[in-house]
């Protein structure tokens, strides 16, 4: 099953840009299709792979940078930009 995800991360700290940049870089290194945007990042791939990457990345973020809010919209299907 193919997933399309729109993910936003809001680190709860004054210096929020670096954690977001590093999170996007980590997602890009995952092998999934990743399209960073101004307000969210779109991620596309196989269900099991996407969910594992999201889980691992959020855990890494919490352990590395502390508190943050993640907002994810997850849709079954291929909504990649054409």
């Amino acid at each position: 099953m193919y997933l399309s995800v729109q993910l936003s991360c809001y680190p709860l700290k004054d210096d929020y840009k670096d954690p977001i940049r590093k999170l996007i870089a980590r997602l890009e290194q995952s092998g999934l299709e990743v399209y960073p945007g101004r307000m969210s990042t779109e991620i596309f791939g196989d269900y099991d792979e996407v969910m594992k990457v999201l889980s691992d990345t959020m855990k890494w973020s919490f352990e590395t940078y502390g508190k943050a809010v993640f907002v994810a919209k997850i849709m079954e299907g291929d909504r990649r930009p054409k």
Side-chain angles (χ1 to χ4, degrees), residues 17-63:
K17 290 182 181 180
D18 191 53
I20 292 171
R21 286 185 187 116
K22 294 217 169 109
L23 183 127
I24 291 170
R26 189 175 175 94
L27 289 170
E28 290 174 332
Q29 294 171 357
S30 71
L32 298 173
E33 279 191 65
V34 176
Y35 298 92
R38 290 186 168 278
M39 298 293 291
S40 65
T41 299
E42 295 180 311
I43 306 157
F44 304 94
D46 175 71
Y47 180 92
D48 292 330
E49 192 175 343
V50 169
M51 296 307 281
K52 180 178 182 343
V53 167
L54 288 176
S55 177
D56 291 347
T57 301
M58 288 188 292
K59 182 177 181 182
W60 167 84
S61 174
F62 292 139
E63 290 173 345

Side-chain angles (χ1 to χ4, degrees), residues 3-7 41-44 50 54 72-75:
L3 281 188
S4 299
V5 177
Q6 184 181 46
L7 181 69
T41 299
E42 295 180 311
I43 306 157
F44 304 94
V50 169
L54 288 176
K73 296 177 187 175
I74 302 171
M75 179 180 170

